[in-house]
Amino acid sequence: MTSRSLALGVALAALTFAPAALAQSQPGGGAPIVVQAVVDRPALTLAAYGEVKVAPDMATINFGVVTEAPTAQEAMAQNAARMAEVTAALRRAGIDPRLVQTSGLNLSAQYDYVENNPPRLRGYQASNRVTVRVEDLDRTGQVVDAVVAAGVNQIDGIGFGLKDPSAAENEARMLAVRALQEKAALYSQALGVPLGGIRNLTEGGGYAPQPPRPMYARAEMAADGMATSVAPGELTVRIDVTGVYDLGR
């Protein structure tokens, strides 16, 4: 179920006229050469947009497993073991493996810094970051809880989106073009000249996936063993259009 909002963008109206002809004198006093210029019809350039509010139908969760150990090999081994448990937890939660993607793998030395002393190697830190797409929003909180229980110790953010935005985009296009037509008719009436056909139409905007946001901004981490609550809210799909209309004289 979508709720629609129709808004008109700030209009830029321009009337353009071109000179009918230019006369140039020939060297030596000959008859002038008349260069006929292209005469453009008066034109009206306008902009408008259409917006559609739509509920998301998928979520993207970015999380990671970070481990530290005295040696690099041990840090990586511990990380791999914990990630195996996380992967198994995702399978049990019904997440298809094709929806799980490694987004970052890092190993770095960790040092302790003491004033007036050289840095002292404390050990190594391994980090494995994963992006998971959840196509059943009702299970988003369960997925978060499952991976945390399996060993995830960093959740970078969660974002919401649409599996197929084409229907919302097409609806926004219809609203945008309707707004443009209404605005053109209004200007034509105000100018007291008939509105001609449209000579050019350009489009901008469209659906853009929501960037992941920190979990504290999108979810309420429940206490006392209750499932994590996630509120997807609404997405805005906006299409911008600019049109050039002919005007009568």
Side-chain angles (χ1 to χ4, degrees):
M1 188 73 180
T2 64
S3 59
R4 307 179 180 180
S5 62
L6 177 61
L8 300 184
V10 178
L12 172 63
L15 293 176
T16 58
F17 299 90
L22 299 174
Q24 296 179 349
S25 298
Q26 291 195 66
I33 299 175
V34 178
V35 180
Q36 187 70 33
V38 177
V39 180
D40 288 335
R41 295 175 62 87
L44 182 67
T45 302
L46 298 169
Y49 68 87
E51 279 188 351
V52 174
K53 301 290 187 181
V54 59
D57 58 10
M58 57 163 285
T60 301
I61 308 171
N62 293 338
F63 59 80
V65 170
V66 179
T67 54
E68 288 192 16
T71 67
Q73 184 177 6
E74 188 177 356
M76 290 295 291
Q78 290 180 8
N79 196 284
R82 194 177 296 181
M83 279 303 303
E85 295 179 7
V86 172
T87 301
L90 288 170
R91 285 198 300 268
R92 290 193 297 271
I95 301 298
D96 193 304
R98 68 183 175 82
L99 304 178
V100 182
Q101 183 180 51
T102 299
S103 54
L105 182 62
N106 183 63
L107 176 67
S108 59
Q110 302 296 297
Y111 294 91
D112 289 326
Y113 295 92
V114 180
E115 189 176 358
N116 299 324
N117 287 281
R120 183 175 65 85
L121 179 66
R122 183 177 73 248
Y124 292 84
Q125 182 183 87
S127 174
N128 193 339
R129 288 188 143 64
V130 174
T131 298
V132 174
R133 193 171 74 181
V134 182
E135 295 189 339
D136 181 357
L137 279 185
D138 292 337
R139 304 176 67 180
T140 304
Q142 299 173 13
V143 172
V144 172
D145 293 337
V147 296
V148 170
V152 164
N153 51 12
Q154 285 194 355
I155 296 182
D156 302 321
I158 181 170
F160 298 96
L162 300 172
K163 298 172 192 172
D164 183 4
S166 57
E169 286 182 324
N170 287 339
E171 188 175 354
R173 286 187 180 99
M174 292 293 293
L175 293 172
V177 172
R178 192 179 305 161
L180 188 69
Q181 291 281 78
E182 291 175 356
K183 188 182 292 186
L186 178 64
Y187 271 92
S188 172
Q189 181 181 5
L191 292 168
V193 294
L195 183 66
I198 188 167
R199 70 169 71 164
N200 186 47
L201 180 69
T202 58
E203 177 187 301
Y207 168 75
Q210 184 189 73
R213 299 182 181 181
M215 281 295 295
Y216 60 79
R218 300 303 305 169
E220 179 181 324
M221 303 301 290
D224 301 327
M226 296 179 63
T228 298
S229 174
V230 179
E234 283 186 327
L235 302 175
T236 299
V237 179
R238 171 170 167 157
I239 296 291
D240 297 278
V241 292
T242 301
V244 180
Y245 290 84
D246 286 325
L247 289 177
R249 294 176 182 263

